[in-house]
Protein backbone atom coordinates (compact mmCIF):
# COMPACT_ATOMS: atom_id res chain seq x y z
CA UNK A 1 0.00 0.00 0.00
CA UNK A 2 1.11 3.52 -0.52
CA UNK A 3 -0.12 7.00 0.15
CA UNK A 4 -1.12 8.90 -2.97
CA UNK A 5 -0.91 12.64 -3.41
CA UNK A 6 -4.31 14.34 -3.25
CA UNK A 7 -5.09 16.49 -6.29
CA UNK A 8 -6.38 19.93 -5.36
CA UNK A 9 -8.84 22.18 -7.14
CA UNK A 10 -8.72 23.70 -9.79
CA UNK A 11 -6.71 20.80 -11.27
CA UNK A 12 -8.45 19.83 -14.54
CA UNK A 13 -8.65 16.17 -13.46
CA UNK A 14 -11.30 17.22 -10.93
CA UNK A 15 -13.48 18.54 -13.76
CA UNK A 16 -13.24 15.43 -15.94
CA UNK A 17 -15.86 12.70 -16.32
CA UNK A 18 -14.21 9.40 -15.35
CA UNK A 19 -14.29 6.14 -17.33
CA UNK A 20 -15.91 2.91 -16.11
CA UNK A 21 -13.74 0.19 -14.56
CA UNK A 22 -13.84 -2.68 -17.09
CA UNK A 23 -12.28 -5.40 -14.99
CA UNK A 24 -11.24 -5.79 -11.36
CA UNK A 25 -7.54 -6.41 -11.73
CA UNK A 26 -4.68 -6.47 -9.20
CA UNK A 27 -4.04 -2.86 -10.16
CA UNK A 28 -7.64 -1.90 -9.30
CA UNK A 29 -7.38 -3.70 -5.94
CA UNK A 30 -4.12 -1.87 -5.18
CA UNK A 31 -5.76 1.43 -6.14
CA UNK A 32 -8.61 0.74 -3.69
CA UNK A 33 -6.16 -0.01 -0.85
CA UNK A 34 -4.15 3.11 -1.60
CA UNK A 35 -7.31 5.23 -1.72
CA UNK A 36 -8.45 3.97 1.70
CA UNK A 37 -5.00 4.57 3.19
CA UNK A 38 -4.85 8.05 1.67
CA UNK A 39 -8.38 8.88 2.90
CA UNK A 40 -7.57 7.83 6.49
CA UNK A 41 -4.28 9.76 6.47
CA UNK A 42 -5.89 12.95 5.12
CA UNK A 43 -8.00 12.47 7.35
CA UNK A 44 -11.33 12.20 5.57
CA UNK A 45 -14.50 10.14 5.25
CA UNK A 46 -14.54 9.74 1.48
CA UNK A 47 -12.18 9.87 -1.49
CA UNK A 48 -12.79 9.49 -5.22
CA UNK A 49 -10.32 8.23 -7.83
CA UNK A 50 -9.80 11.57 -9.62
CA UNK A 51 -8.69 13.02 -6.28
CA UNK A 52 -5.56 10.86 -6.61
CA UNK A 53 -5.34 11.64 -10.32
CA UNK A 54 -6.84 8.36 -11.57
CA UNK A 55 -9.75 8.93 -13.93
CA UNK A 56 -11.81 5.80 -13.31
CA UNK A 57 -15.17 5.27 -11.62
CA UNK A 58 -14.21 4.23 -8.12
CA UNK A 59 -14.60 5.85 -4.72
CA UNK A 60 -14.09 4.82 -1.11
CA UNK A 61 -15.85 5.88 2.07
CA UNK A 62 -15.76 5.29 5.78
CA UNK A 63 -18.43 7.45 7.37
CA UNK A 64 -18.00 6.18 10.94
CA UNK A 65 -14.28 5.54 11.58
CA UNK A 66 -13.87 8.89 13.31
CA UNK A 67 -16.40 7.68 15.90
CA UNK A 68 -14.38 4.50 16.47
CA UNK A 69 -16.47 2.27 14.16
CA UNK A 70 -14.32 1.57 11.08
CA UNK A 71 -16.41 0.70 8.02
CA UNK A 72 -14.22 0.86 4.89
CA UNK A 73 -16.25 0.60 1.69
CA UNK A 74 -15.17 0.48 -1.95
CA UNK A 75 -17.61 1.43 -4.72
CA UNK A 76 -16.85 0.59 -8.35
CA UNK A 77 -19.00 1.88 -11.24
CA UNK A 78 -21.64 3.34 -8.87
CA UNK A 79 -24.97 4.60 -10.16
CA UNK A 80 -27.89 6.29 -8.45
CA UNK A 81 -31.07 4.37 -9.31
CA UNK A 82 -33.38 6.65 -7.41
CA UNK A 83 -33.14 9.81 -5.32
CA UNK A 84 -35.70 11.13 -2.84
CA UNK A 85 -37.70 14.22 -3.71
CA UNK A 86 -37.01 15.49 -0.21
CA UNK A 87 -33.95 17.72 -0.19
CA UNK A 88 -31.73 18.62 2.75
CA UNK A 89 -28.92 21.11 3.29
CA UNK A 90 -25.64 19.91 4.73
CA UNK A 91 -22.15 21.29 5.31
CA UNK A 92 -19.58 19.59 3.10
CA UNK A 93 -15.82 19.80 3.01
CA UNK A 94 -13.65 18.29 0.29
CA UNK A 95 -10.08 16.99 0.60
CA UNK A 96 -9.38 18.58 -2.79
CA UNK A 97 -10.58 22.03 -1.62
CA UNK A 98 -8.91 22.18 1.79
CA UNK A 99 -10.14 24.75 4.28
CA UNK A 100 -13.45 25.41 2.56
CA UNK A 101 -16.81 24.23 3.91
CA UNK A 102 -19.84 24.66 1.66
CA UNK A 103 -23.57 24.37 2.28
CA UNK A 104 -24.95 21.95 -0.32
CA UNK A 105 -28.55 20.93 -1.02
CA UNK A 106 -29.07 17.27 -1.97
CA UNK A 107 -31.72 14.54 -1.87
CA UNK A 108 -31.81 13.16 1.68
CA UNK A 109 -31.83 9.56 0.51
CA UNK A 110 -30.51 7.75 -2.56
CA UNK A 111 -30.69 4.20 -3.85
CA UNK A 112 -27.18 3.34 -5.07
CA UNK A 113 -25.95 0.29 -7.00
CA UNK A 114 -22.26 -0.52 -7.46
CA UNK A 115 -19.77 -3.31 -7.98
CA UNK A 116 -17.72 -4.51 -5.01
CA UNK A 117 -14.02 -5.38 -5.15
CA UNK A 118 -15.14 -9.04 -5.23
CA UNK A 119 -17.15 -8.33 -8.36
CA UNK A 120 -20.63 -8.51 -6.79
CA UNK A 121 -23.28 -5.99 -7.83
CA UNK A 122 -24.59 -4.39 -4.61
CA UNK A 123 -27.73 -2.35 -4.04
CA UNK A 124 -28.31 -0.19 -0.98
CA UNK A 125 -30.36 2.79 0.14
CA UNK A 126 -28.40 5.52 1.94
CA UNK A 127 -29.85 8.21 4.18
CA UNK A 128 -28.51 11.10 6.25
CA UNK A 129 -24.77 11.78 6.28
CA UNK A 130 -23.96 8.62 4.31
CA UNK A 131 -26.34 9.73 1.52
CA UNK A 132 -24.60 13.10 1.22
CA UNK A 133 -21.20 11.39 1.30
CA UNK A 134 -21.88 8.95 -1.56
CA UNK A 135 -23.47 11.73 -3.65
CA UNK A 136 -20.43 13.96 -3.05
CA UNK A 137 -18.04 11.18 -4.12
CA UNK A 138 -20.16 10.20 -7.13
CA UNK A 139 -20.13 13.85 -8.22
CA UNK A 140 -16.32 13.63 -8.39
CA UNK A 141 -16.61 10.76 -10.90
CA UNK A 142 -18.70 13.06 -13.08
CA UNK A 143 -16.23 15.95 -12.83
CA UNK A 144 -18.36 17.89 -10.34
CA UNK A 145 -17.02 19.50 -7.16
CA UNK A 146 -18.96 21.18 -4.35
CA UNK A 147 -18.31 24.64 -5.85
CA UNK A 148 -20.22 23.61 -8.98
CA UNK A 149 -23.34 23.11 -6.86
CA UNK A 150 -23.34 26.61 -5.35
CA UNK A 151 -25.11 29.75 -6.51
CA UNK A 152 -22.83 32.22 -8.32
CA UNK A 153 -22.75 34.40 -5.22
CA UNK A 154 -21.92 31.56 -2.82
CA UNK A 155 -19.35 30.19 -5.23
CA UNK A 156 -17.56 33.54 -5.46
CA UNK A 157 -17.46 33.70 -1.66
CA UNK A 158 -16.11 30.13 -1.38
CA UNK A 159 -13.48 30.74 -4.06
CA UNK A 160 -12.32 33.90 -2.27
CA UNK A 161 -12.07 31.92 0.98
CA UNK A 162 -10.04 29.21 -0.81
CA UNK A 163 -7.67 31.75 -2.36
CA UNK A 164 -7.10 33.54 0.95
ZN1 LIG B 1 -14.61 15.95 -2.48
Amino acid sequence: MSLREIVTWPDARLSTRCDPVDEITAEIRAQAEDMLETMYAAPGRGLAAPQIGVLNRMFVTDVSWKEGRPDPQVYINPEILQASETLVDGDEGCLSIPGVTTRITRPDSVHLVWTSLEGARISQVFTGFAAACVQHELDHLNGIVTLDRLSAEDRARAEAEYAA
Side-chain angles (χ1 to χ4, degrees), residues 34-57:
D34 286 356
M35 285 174 63
L36 283 166
E37 186 182 356
T38 303
M39 176 188 76
Y40 288 128
R45 297 177 193 263
L47 188 72
Q51 294 183 278
I52 59 160
V54 179
L55 298 180
N56 62 16
R57 302 186 76 77

mmCIF file with all atom_site columns, all heavy atoms in Angstrom, residues 34-57:
data_model
loop_
_atom_site.group_PDB
_atom_site.id
_atom_site.type_symbol
_atom_site.label_atom_id
_atom_site.label_alt_id
_atom_site.label_comp_id
_atom_site.label_asym_id
_atom_site.label_entity_id
_atom_site.label_seq_id
_atom_site.pdbx_PDB_ins_code
_atom_site.Cartn_x
_atom_site.Cartn_y
_atom_site.Cartn_z
_atom_site.occupancy
_atom_site.B_iso_or_equiv
_atom_site.pdbx_formal_charge
_atom_site.auth_seq_id
_atom_site.auth_comp_id
_atom_site.auth_asym_id
_atom_site.auth_atom_id
_atom_site.pdbx_PDB_model_num
ATOM 1   N N   . ASP A 1 34 ? -4.853  1.819  -1.697  1.00 0.00 ? 34 ASP A N   1
ATOM 2   C CA  . ASP A 1 34 ? -4.152  3.112  -1.604  1.00 0.00 ? 34 ASP A CA  1
ATOM 3   C C   . ASP A 1 34 ? -5.142  4.242  -1.320  1.00 0.00 ? 34 ASP A C   1
ATOM 4   O O   . ASP A 1 34 ? -4.838  5.166  -0.556  1.00 0.00 ? 34 ASP A O   1
ATOM 5   C CB  . ASP A 1 34 ? -3.419  3.420  -2.921  1.00 0.00 ? 34 ASP A CB  1
ATOM 6   C CG  . ASP A 1 34 ? -2.177  2.572  -3.101  1.00 0.00 ? 34 ASP A CG  1
ATOM 7   O OD1 . ASP A 1 34 ? -1.834  1.809  -2.183  1.00 0.00 ? 34 ASP A OD1 1
ATOM 8   O OD2 . ASP A 1 34 ? -1.555  2.677  -4.178  1.00 0.00 ? 34 ASP A OD2 1
ATOM 9   N N   . MET A 1 35 ? -6.315  4.169  -1.937  1.00 0.00 ? 35 MET A N   1
ATOM 10  C CA  . MET A 1 35 ? -7.307  5.230  -1.718  1.00 0.00 ? 35 MET A CA  1
ATOM 11  C C   . MET A 1 35 ? -7.789  5.229  -0.270  1.00 0.00 ? 35 MET A C   1
ATOM 12  O O   . MET A 1 35 ? -7.950  6.287  0.341   1.00 0.00 ? 35 MET A O   1
ATOM 13  C CB  . MET A 1 35 ? -8.483  5.076  -2.691  1.00 0.00 ? 35 MET A CB  1
ATOM 14  C CG  . MET A 1 35 ? -8.124  5.508  -4.120  1.00 0.00 ? 35 MET A CG  1
ATOM 15  S SD  . MET A 1 35 ? -9.447  5.184  -5.310  1.00 0.00 ? 35 MET A SD  1
ATOM 16  C CE  . MET A 1 35 ? -10.746 6.235  -4.666  1.00 0.00 ? 35 MET A CE  1
ATOM 17  N N   . LEU A 1 36 ? -8.027  4.035  0.298   1.00 0.00 ? 36 LEU A N   1
ATOM 18  C CA  . LEU A 1 36 ? -8.453  3.974  1.705   1.00 0.00 ? 36 LEU A CA  1
ATOM 19  C C   . LEU A 1 36 ? -7.352  4.526  2.606   1.00 0.00 ? 36 LEU A C   1
ATOM 20  O O   . LEU A 1 36 ? -7.615  5.348  3.498   1.00 0.00 ? 36 LEU A O   1
ATOM 21  C CB  . LEU A 1 36 ? -8.816  2.535  2.094   1.00 0.00 ? 36 LEU A CB  1
ATOM 22  C CG  . LEU A 1 36 ? -10.177 2.053  1.580   1.00 0.00 ? 36 LEU A CG  1
ATOM 23  C CD1 . LEU A 1 36 ? -10.294 0.534  1.710   1.00 0.00 ? 36 LEU A CD1 1
ATOM 24  C CD2 . LEU A 1 36 ? -11.332 2.732  2.334   1.00 0.00 ? 36 LEU A CD2 1
ATOM 25  N N   . GLU A 1 37 ? -6.111  4.113  2.363   1.00 0.00 ? 37 GLU A N   1
ATOM 26  C CA  . GLU A 1 37 ? -4.996  4.575  3.193   1.00 0.00 ? 37 GLU A CA  1
ATOM 27  C C   . GLU A 1 37 ? -4.861  6.099  3.100   1.00 0.00 ? 37 GLU A C   1
ATOM 28  O O   . GLU A 1 37 ? -4.661  6.787  4.108   1.00 0.00 ? 37 GLU A O   1
ATOM 29  C CB  . GLU A 1 37 ? -3.705  3.881  2.742   1.00 0.00 ? 37 GLU A CB  1
ATOM 30  C CG  . GLU A 1 37 ? -2.532  4.193  3.647   1.00 0.00 ? 37 GLU A CG  1
ATOM 31  C CD  . GLU A 1 37 ? -1.225  3.549  3.176   1.00 0.00 ? 37 GLU A CD  1
ATOM 32  O OE1 . GLU A 1 37 ? -1.239  2.790  2.191   1.00 0.00 ? 37 GLU A OE1 1
ATOM 33  O OE2 . GLU A 1 37 ? -0.193  3.830  3.805   1.00 0.00 ? 37 GLU A OE2 1
ATOM 34  N N   . THR A 1 38 ? -4.983  6.615  1.892   1.00 0.00 ? 38 THR A N   1
ATOM 35  C CA  . THR A 1 38 ? -4.852  8.055  1.667   1.00 0.00 ? 38 THR A CA  1
ATOM 36  C C   . THR A 1 38 ? -5.990  8.819  2.331   1.00 0.00 ? 38 THR A C   1
ATOM 37  O O   . THR A 1 38 ? -5.784  9.878  2.933   1.00 0.00 ? 38 THR A O   1
ATOM 38  C CB  . THR A 1 38 ? -4.811  8.344  0.142   1.00 0.00 ? 38 THR A CB  1
ATOM 39  O OG1 . THR A 1 38 ? -3.724  7.606  -0.436  1.00 0.00 ? 38 THR A OG1 1
ATOM 40  C CG2 . THR A 1 38 ? -4.631  9.823  -0.146  1.00 0.00 ? 38 THR A CG2 1
ATOM 41  N N   . MET A 1 39 ? -7.212  8.250  2.257   1.00 0.00 ? 39 MET A N   1
ATOM 42  C CA  . MET A 1 39 ? -8.376  8.880  2.900   1.00 0.00 ? 39 MET A CA  1
ATOM 43  C C   . MET A 1 39 ? -8.180  8.951  4.423   1.00 0.00 ? 39 MET A C   1
ATOM 44  O O   . MET A 1 39 ? -8.406  10.000 5.031   1.00 0.00 ? 39 MET A O   1
ATOM 45  C CB  . MET A 1 39 ? -9.644  8.083  2.573   1.00 0.00 ? 39 MET A CB  1
ATOM 46  C CG  . MET A 1 39 ? -10.898 8.594  3.279   1.00 0.00 ? 39 MET A CG  1
ATOM 47  S SD  . MET A 1 39 ? -12.309 7.483  3.034   1.00 0.00 ? 39 MET A SD  1
ATOM 48  C CE  . MET A 1 39 ? -11.889 6.141  4.160   1.00 0.00 ? 39 MET A CE  1
ATOM 49  N N   . TYR A 1 40 ? -7.744  7.833  5.032   1.00 0.00 ? 40 TYR A N   1
ATOM 50  C CA  . TYR A 1 40 ? -7.567  7.829  6.490   1.00 0.00 ? 40 TYR A CA  1
ATOM 51  C C   . TYR A 1 40 ? -6.473  8.801  6.913   1.00 0.00 ? 40 TYR A C   1
ATOM 52  O O   . TYR A 1 40 ? -6.570  9.458  7.940   1.00 0.00 ? 40 TYR A O   1
ATOM 53  C CB  . TYR A 1 40 ? -7.232  6.413  6.987   1.00 0.00 ? 40 TYR A CB  1
ATOM 54  C CG  . TYR A 1 40 ? -8.387  5.445  6.946   1.00 0.00 ? 40 TYR A CG  1
ATOM 55  C CD1 . TYR A 1 40 ? -8.271  4.209  6.317   1.00 0.00 ? 40 TYR A CD1 1
ATOM 56  C CD2 . TYR A 1 40 ? -9.604  5.750  7.555   1.00 0.00 ? 40 TYR A CD2 1
ATOM 57  C CE1 . TYR A 1 40 ? -9.328  3.306  6.282   1.00 0.00 ? 40 TYR A CE1 1
ATOM 58  C CE2 . TYR A 1 40 ? -10.660 4.863  7.525   1.00 0.00 ? 40 TYR A CE2 1
ATOM 59  C CZ  . TYR A 1 40 ? -10.519 3.636  6.890   1.00 0.00 ? 40 TYR A CZ  1
ATOM 60  O OH  . TYR A 1 40 ? -11.577 2.761  6.865   1.00 0.00 ? 40 TYR A OH  1
ATOM 61  N N   . ALA A 1 41 ? -5.409  8.893  6.112   1.00 0.00 ? 41 ALA A N   1
ATOM 62  C CA  . ALA A 1 41 ? -4.282  9.755  6.470   1.00 0.00 ? 41 ALA A CA  1
ATOM 63  C C   . ALA A 1 41 ? -4.635  11.233 6.337   1.00 0.00 ? 41 ALA A C   1
ATOM 64  O O   . ALA A 1 41 ? -4.036  12.079 6.999   1.00 0.00 ? 41 ALA A O   1
ATOM 65  C CB  . ALA A 1 41 ? -3.075  9.426  5.592   1.00 0.00 ? 41 ALA A CB  1
ATOM 66  N N   . ALA A 1 42 ? -5.616  11.533 5.478   1.00 0.00 ? 42 ALA A N   1
ATOM 67  C CA  . ALA A 1 42 ? -5.887  12.950 5.118   1.00 0.00 ? 42 ALA A CA  1
ATOM 68  C C   . ALA A 1 42 ? -6.182  13.886 6.301   1.00 0.00 ? 42 ALA A C   1
ATOM 69  O O   . ALA A 1 42 ? -5.618  14.978 6.355   1.00 0.00 ? 42 ALA A O   1
ATOM 70  C CB  . ALA A 1 42 ? -6.972  13.020 4.057   1.00 0.00 ? 42 ALA A CB  1
ATOM 71  N N   . PRO A 1 43 ? -7.077  13.601 7.279   1.00 0.00 ? 43 PRO A N   1
ATOM 72  C CA  . PRO A 1 43 ? -7.996  12.473 7.345   1.00 0.00 ? 43 PRO A CA  1
ATOM 73  C C   . PRO A 1 43 ? -9.353  12.868 6.777   1.00 0.00 ? 43 PRO A C   1
ATOM 74  O O   . PRO A 1 43 ? -9.784  14.003 6.935   1.00 0.00 ? 43 PRO A O   1
ATOM 75  C CB  . PRO A 1 43 ? -8.117  12.251 8.859   1.00 0.00 ? 43 PRO A CB  1
ATOM 76  C CG  . PRO A 1 43 ? -7.969  13.626 9.447   1.00 0.00 ? 43 PRO A CG  1
ATOM 77  C CD  . PRO A 1 43 ? -7.120  14.436 8.480   1.00 0.00 ? 43 PRO A CD  1
ATOM 78  N N   . GLY A 1 44 ? -10.022 11.903 6.133   1.00 0.00 ? 44 GLY A N   1
ATOM 79  C CA  . GLY A 1 44 ? -11.331 12.198 5.566   1.00 0.00 ? 44 GLY A CA  1
ATOM 80  C C   . GLY A 1 44 ? -12.263 11.006 5.680   1.00 0.00 ? 44 GLY A C   1
ATOM 81  O O   . GLY A 1 44 ? -11.877 9.954  6.196   1.00 0.00 ? 44 GLY A O   1
ATOM 82  N N   . ARG A 1 45 ? -13.487 11.200 5.192   1.00 0.00 ? 45 ARG A N   1
ATOM 83  C CA  . ARG A 1 45 ? -14.499 10.137 5.247   1.00 0.00 ? 45 ARG A CA  1
ATOM 84  C C   . ARG A 1 45 ? -14.853 9.606  3.864   1.00 0.00 ? 45 ARG A C   1
ATOM 85  O O   . ARG A 1 45 ? -15.680 8.702  3.730   1.00 0.00 ? 45 ARG A O   1
ATOM 86  C CB  . ARG A 1 45 ? -15.778 10.640 5.922   1.00 0.00 ? 45 ARG A CB  1
ATOM 87  C CG  . ARG A 1 45 ? -15.598 11.057 7.378   1.00 0.00 ? 45 ARG A CG  1
ATOM 88  C CD  . ARG A 1 45 ? -16.929 11.596 7.913   1.00 0.00 ? 45 ARG A CD  1
ATOM 89  N NE  . ARG A 1 45 ? -16.778 12.289 9.183   1.00 0.00 ? 45 ARG A NE  1
ATOM 90  C CZ  . ARG A 1 45 ? -17.001 11.731 10.378  1.00 0.00 ? 45 ARG A CZ  1
ATOM 91  N NH1 . ARG A 1 45 ? -17.381 10.478 10.468  1.00 0.00 ? 45 ARG A NH1 1
ATOM 92  N NH2 . ARG A 1 45 ? -16.856 12.435 11.473  1.00 0.00 ? 45 ARG A NH2 1
ATOM 93  N N   . GLY A 1 46 ? -14.267 10.213 2.834   1.00 0.00 ? 46 GLY A N   1
ATOM 94  C CA  . GLY A 1 46 ? -14.536 9.737  1.476   1.00 0.00 ? 46 GLY A CA  1
ATOM 95  C C   . GLY A 1 46 ? -13.458 10.237 0.544   1.00 0.00 ? 46 GLY A C   1
ATOM 96  O O   . GLY A 1 46 ? -12.856 11.290 0.789   1.00 0.00 ? 46 GLY A O   1
ATOM 97  N N   . LEU A 1 47 ? -13.183 9.466  -0.512  1.00 0.00 ? 47 LEU A N   1
ATOM 98  C CA  . LEU A 1 47 ? -12.175 9.873  -1.492  1.00 0.00 ? 47 LEU A CA  1
ATOM 99  C C   . LEU A 1 47 ? -12.526 9.217  -2.821  1.00 0.00 ? 47 LEU A C   1
ATOM 100 O O   . LEU A 1 47 ? -12.839 8.027  -2.867  1.00 0.00 ? 47 LEU A O   1
ATOM 101 C CB  . LEU A 1 47 ? -10.781 9.425  -1.035  1.00 0.00 ? 47 LEU A CB  1
ATOM 102 C CG  . LEU A 1 47 ? -9.602  9.941  -1.863  1.00 0.00 ? 47 LEU A CG  1
ATOM 103 C CD1 . LEU A 1 47 ? -9.375  11.436 -1.631  1.00 0.00 ? 47 LEU A CD1 1
ATOM 104 C CD2 . LEU A 1 47 ? -8.322  9.159  -1.525  1.00 0.00 ? 47 LEU A CD2 1
ATOM 105 N N   . ALA A 1 48 ? -12.464 10.006 -3.891  1.00 0.00 ? 48 ALA A N   1
ATOM 106 C CA  . ALA A 1 48 ? -12.795 9.489  -5.221  1.00 0.00 ? 48 ALA A CA  1
ATOM 107 C C   . ALA A 1 48 ? -11.522 9.421  -6.068  1.00 0.00 ? 48 ALA A C   1
ATOM 108 O O   . ALA A 1 48 ? -10.575 10.184 -5.855  1.00 0.00 ? 48 ALA A O   1
ATOM 109 C CB  . ALA A 1 48 ? -13.822 10.403 -5.885  1.00 0.00 ? 48 ALA A CB  1
ATOM 110 N N   . ALA A 1 49 ? -11.518 8.499  -7.033  1.00 0.00 ? 49 ALA A N   1
ATOM 111 C CA  . ALA A 1 49 ? -10.322 8.231  -7.831  1.00 0.00 ? 49 ALA A CA  1
ATOM 112 C C   . ALA A 1 49 ? -9.681  9.487  -8.436  1.00 0.00 ? 49 ALA A C   1
ATOM 113 O O   . ALA A 1 49 ? -8.459  9.630  -8.380  1.00 0.00 ? 49 ALA A O   1
ATOM 114 C CB  . ALA A 1 49 ? -10.644 7.203  -8.920  1.00 0.00 ? 49 ALA A CB  1
ATOM 115 N N   . PRO A 1 50 ? -10.465 10.406 -9.033  1.00 0.00 ? 50 PRO A N   1
ATOM 116 C CA  . PRO A 1 50 ? -9.801  11.573 -9.624  1.00 0.00 ? 50 PRO A CA  1
ATOM 117 C C   . PRO A 1 50 ? -9.042  12.418 -8.601  1.00 0.00 ? 50 PRO A C   1
ATOM 118 O O   . PRO A 1 50 ? -8.132  13.164 -8.971  1.00 0.00 ? 50 PRO A O   1
ATOM 119 C CB  . PRO A 1 50 ? -10.958 12.364 -10.262 1.00 0.00 ? 50 PRO A CB  1
ATOM 120 C CG  . PRO A 1 50 ? -12.192 11.831 -9.641  1.00 0.00 ? 50 PRO A CG  1
ATOM 121 C CD  . PRO A 1 50 ? -11.906 10.402 -9.299  1.00 0.00 ? 50 PRO A CD  1
ATOM 122 N N   . GLN A 1 51 ? -9.397  12.268 -7.320  1.00 0.00 ? 51 GLN A N   1
ATOM 123 C CA  . GLN A 1 51 ? -8.688  13.021 -6.284  1.00 0.00 ? 51 GLN A CA  1
ATOM 124 C C   . GLN A 1 51 ? -7.257  12.510 -6.078  1.00 0.00 ? 51 GLN A C   1
ATOM 125 O O   . GLN A 1 51 ? -6.448  13.184 -5.442  1.00 0.00 ? 51 GLN A O   1
ATOM 126 C CB  . GLN A 1 51 ? -9.446  12.979 -4.954  1.00 0.00 ? 51 GLN A CB  1
ATOM 127 C CG  . GLN A 1 51 ? -10.799 13.705 -5.036  1.00 0.00 ? 51 GLN A CG  1
ATOM 128 C CD  . GLN A 1 51 ? -11.507 13.719 -3.703  1.00 0.00 ? 51 GLN A CD  1
ATOM 129 O OE1 . GLN A 1 51 ? -12.166 12.754 -3.335  1.00 0.00 ? 51 GLN A OE1 1
ATOM 130 N NE2 . GLN A 1 51 ? -11.335 14.793 -2.948  1.00 0.00 ? 51 GLN A NE2 1
ATOM 131 N N   . ILE A 1 52 ? -6.968  11.294 -6.580  1.00 0.00 ? 52 ILE A N   1
ATOM 132 C CA  . ILE A 1 52 ? -5.558  10.860 -6.608  1.00 0.00 ? 52 ILE A CA  1
ATOM 133 C C   . ILE A 1 52 ? -5.062  10.833 -8.056  1.00 0.00 ? 52 ILE A C   1
ATOM 134 O O   . ILE A 1 52 ? -4.055  10.188 -8.370  1.00 0.00 ? 52 ILE A O   1
ATOM 135 C CB  . ILE A 1 52 ? -5.349  9.487  -5.916  1.00 0.00 ? 52 ILE A CB  1
ATOM 136 C CG1 . ILE A 1 52 ? -6.183  8.383  -6.571  1.00 0.00 ? 52 ILE A CG1 1
ATOM 137 C CG2 . ILE A 1 52 ? -5.640  9.583  -4.428  1.00 0.00 ? 52 ILE A CG2 1
ATOM 138 C CD1 . ILE A 1 52 ? -5.669  6.975  -6.273  1.00 0.00 ? 52 ILE A CD1 1
ATOM 139 N N   . GLY A 1 53 ? -5.798  11.490 -8.940  1.00 0.00 ? 53 GLY A N   1
ATOM 140 C CA  . GLY A 1 53 ? -5.344  11.643 -10.316 1.00 0.00 ? 53 GLY A CA  1
ATOM 141 C C   . GLY A 1 53 ? -5.627  10.458 -11.222 1.00 0.00 ? 53 GLY A C   1
ATOM 142 O O   . GLY A 1 53 ? -5.100  10.376 -12.322 1.00 0.00 ? 53 GLY A O   1
ATOM 143 N N   . VAL A 1 54 ? -6.487  9.525  -10.757 1.00 0.00 ? 54 VAL A N   1
ATOM 144 C CA  . VAL A 1 54 ? -6.841  8.357  -11.570 1.00 0.00 ? 54 VAL A CA  1
ATOM 145 C C   . VAL A 1 54 ? -8.267  8.559  -12.074 1.00 0.00 ? 54 VAL A C   1
ATOM 146 O O   . VAL A 1 54 ? -9.200  8.727  -11.281 1.00 0.00 ? 54 VAL A O   1
ATOM 147 C CB  . VAL A 1 54 ? -6.751  7.052  -10.749 1.00 0.00 ? 54 VAL A CB  1
ATOM 148 C CG1 . VAL A 1 54 ? -7.147  5.852  -11.611 1.00 0.00 ? 54 VAL A CG1 1
ATOM 149 C CG2 . VAL A 1 54 ? -5.343  6.869  -10.195 1.00 0.00 ? 54 VAL A CG2 1
ATOM 150 N N   . LEU A 1 55 ? -8.442  8.550  -13.386 1.00 0.00 ? 55 LEU A N   1
ATOM 151 C CA  . LEU A 1 55 ? -9.749  8.925  -13.929 1.00 0.00 ? 55 LEU A CA  1
ATOM 152 C C   . LEU A 1 55 ? -10.612 7.698  -14.222 1.00 0.00 ? 55 LEU A C   1
ATOM 153 O O   . LEU A 1 55 ? -11.030 7.456  -15.353 1.00 0.00 ? 55 LEU A O   1
ATOM 154 C CB  . LEU A 1 55 ? -9.554  9.801  -15.169 1.00 0.00 ? 55 LEU A CB  1
ATOM 155 C CG  . LEU A 1 55 ? -8.808  11.127 -14.873 1.00 0.00 ? 55 LEU A CG  1
ATOM 156 C CD1 . LEU A 1 55 ? -8.652  11.960 -16.131 1.00 0.00 ? 55 LEU A CD1 1
ATOM 157 C CD2 . LEU A 1 55 ? -9.521  11.927 -13.786 1.00 0.00 ? 55 LEU A CD2 1
ATOM 158 N N   . ASN A 1 56 ? -10.858 6.900  -13.170 1.00 0.00 ? 56 ASN A N   1
ATOM 159 C CA  . ASN A 1 56 ? -11.814 5.796  -13.314 1.00 0.00 ? 56 ASN A CA  1
ATOM 160 C C   . ASN A 1 56 ? -12.888 5.904  -12.229 1.00 0.00 ? 56 ASN A C   1
ATOM 161 O O   . ASN A 1 56 ? -12.773 6.684  -11.282 1.00 0.00 ? 56 ASN A O   1
ATOM 162 C CB  . ASN A 1 56 ? -11.122 4.429  -13.327 1.00 0.00 ? 56 ASN A CB  1
ATOM 163 C CG  . ASN A 1 56 ? -10.375 4.111  -12.049 1.00 0.00 ? 56 ASN A CG  1
ATOM 164 O OD1 . ASN A 1 56 ? -10.575 4.757  -11.017 1.00 0.00 ? 56 ASN A OD1 1
ATOM 165 N ND2 . ASN A 1 56 ? -9.519  3.113  -12.097 1.00 0.00 ? 56 ASN A ND2 1
ATOM 166 N N   . ARG A 1 57 ? -13.973 5.101  -12.448 1.00 0.00 ? 57 ARG A N   1
ATOM 167 C CA  . ARG A 1 57 ? -15.167 5.273  -11.622 1.00 0.00 ? 57 ARG A CA  1
ATOM 168 C C   . ARG A 1 57 ? -15.087 4.404  -10.362 1.00 0.00 ? 57 ARG A C   1
ATOM 169 O O   . ARG A 1 57 ? -15.696 3.339  -10.266 1.00 0.00 ? 57 ARG A O   1
ATOM 170 C CB  . ARG A 1 57 ? -16.440 4.997  -12.444 1.00 0.00 ? 57 ARG A CB  1
ATOM 171 C CG  . ARG A 1 57 ? -16.541 5.918  -13.666 1.00 0.00 ? 57 ARG A CG  1
ATOM 172 C CD  . ARG A 1 57 ? -17.849 5.784  -14.413 1.00 0.00 ? 57 ARG A CD  1
ATOM 173 N NE  . ARG A 1 57 ? -18.966 6.428  -13.736 1.00 0.00 ? 57 ARG A NE  1
ATOM 174 C CZ  . ARG A 1 57 ? -19.185 7.736  -13.729 1.00 0.00 ? 57 ARG A CZ  1
ATOM 175 N NH1 . ARG A 1 57 ? -18.370 8.559  -14.357 1.00 0.00 ? 57 ARG A NH1 1
ATOM 176 N NH2 . ARG A 1 57 ? -20.230 8.220  -13.095 1.00 0.00 ? 57 ARG A NH2 1
#
